[in-house]
Amino acid sequence: MKLRKVTAASATVLALALTATACGGDDSGDGGSGGGKKITIGIKFDQPGLGQKTPNGYEGFDVDVATYVAKKLGYAEDQIEWKESKSADRETMLQRGDVDFIVATYSITPKRQAKVDFAGPYLLAHQDVLLRADDDKIKSPEDLNNAKLCSVTGSTSAQNVKDKLAPKAQLQPYPTYSACLPGLQNGAIDALTTDDSILAGYAAQSQFKGKFKLGGFKMTNENYGIGVKKGSDLKDKINKALEEMVADKSWQKAVDDNLGPAGYKNEPAPKIGDIKS
């Protein structure tokens, strides 16, 4: 009897272990084949018009692109887990496998391509500056010499200005773009630099209406790509989804819905692999 009781208990433990293993196998995405319980996507949480966390959920152009791509990979909206991807953390998040892919105003650069792969590009933006509406001193990139210039830690924007256009610019790194705005508004900094698409989103917010303006400098080309882990087969699948998004006009609708209210004049949808220098 004793032997039979032990055997029955062992069988029960084994059955439970097998059940747990089976249940744990599909808790997350499987690298892009779809059908898993969830897919984890990195976005920005603080960029109006592009990637923003709101009381009602997540919204913006990058969110719409990510949602469209996820659907083409086999995931519904309620199967998406959103993770905040700050500029300085993006490569690490992909390398560690914290996210399946990142859609977060992520400019494709050779330095980043050495660490991660990119699908796209899916948007061509340009580096610009945001100024106070009453600022009549900064009329060209050269006028940023000796100016206090704010950008985000891990972003390439401010360093581009200092290296190529205004070597005497005083760089003021902040953790997020939204953190720069109070300083710009009260005069603690003179300009915020990043991509025109991002700046337009901030300038269009109701609380800042009429307080800021874009410089209109178009200092660089910023080719937004979707970051994936090096060697991931997701790259080709995402590229196909992006082509379909342009073809069925969902791409232009997403631009108009999210950036149109700010008067943003977008470039035509870039072709896959066409990276403007």
Side-chain angles (χ1 to χ4, degrees), residues 13-245:
V13 171
L14 178 60
L16 288 172
L18 291 172
T19 302
T21 302
C23 291
D26 63 350
D27 280 346
S28 61
D30 57 3
S33 63
K37 284 189 176 180
K38 67 178 181 180
I39 187 166
T40 306
I41 304 174
I43 58 170
K44 291 292 180 66
F45 278 14
D46 69 331
Q47 289 182 350
L50 289 155
Q52 187 175 28
K53 183 178 181 179
T54 75
N56 299 318
Y58 302 90
E59 60 185 36
F61 176 67
D62 281 352
V63 175
D64 287 352
V65 170
T67 302
Y68 185 99
V69 169
K71 182 178 180 181
K72 291 296 180 179
L73 294 176
Y75 298 91
E77 284 189 51
D78 61 2
Q79 293 175 300
I80 299 173
E81 178 184 342
W82 301 105
K83 278 197 175 182
E84 183 175 19
S85 298
K86 295 181 179 180
S87 295
D89 299 335
R90 291 176 297 199
E91 285 86 45
T92 301
M93 291 180 73
L94 288 168
Q95 291 169 336
R96 282 195 313 229
D98 296 343
V99 292
D100 292 295
F101 61 87
I102 290 178
V103 191
T105 58
Y106 200 1
S107 296
I108 302 171
T109 68
K111 184 177 180 180
R112 291 169 178 167
Q113 286 176 305
K115 299 178 180 178
V116 300
D117 285 342
F118 287 95
Y122 66 93
L123 183 72
L124 176 61
H126 304 284
Q127 186 180 343
D128 202 351
V129 294
L130 193 65
L131 307 167
R132 288 183 294 279
D134 60 357
D135 187 333
D136 58 1
K137 296 179 181 178
I138 300 176
K139 298 179 180 179
S140 71
E142 290 72 23
D143 293 332
L144 293 169
N145 278 307
N146 299 314
K148 293 178 181 177
L149 181 64
C150 179
S151 193
V152 170
T153 305
S155 172
T156 58
S157 301
Q159 197 63 48
N160 283 342
V161 171
K162 189 172 180 66
D163 290 347
K164 301 174 183 178
L165 300 168
K168 295 181 181 180
Q170 300 174 34
L171 303 188
Q172 305 287 321
Y174 279 63
T176 64
Y177 295 107
S178 57
C180 297
L181 294 176
L184 179 59
Q185 190 172 353
N186 65 29
I189 60 172
D190 300 305
L192 161 60
T193 185
T194 186
D195 306 343
D196 52 8
S197 56
I198 297 171
L199 297 174
Y202 285 120
Q205 291 180 99
S206 58
Q207 67 267 38
F208 297 127
K209 189 173 181 180
K211 296 180 179 179
F212 301 130
K213 64 182 179 182
L214 286 167
F217 298 159
K218 290 191 175 183
M219 294 181 281
T220 63
N221 291 325
E222 301 297 332
N223 303 272
Y224 288 177
I226 296 180
V228 298
K229 191 173 184 177
K230 201 76 174 171
S232 173
D233 64 355
L234 273 179
K235 177 180 175 179
D236 291 339
K237 297 174 183 179
I238 293 172
N239 279 335
K240 182 178 179 182
L242 291 174
E243 289 175 336
E244 292 175 2
M245 189 176 188

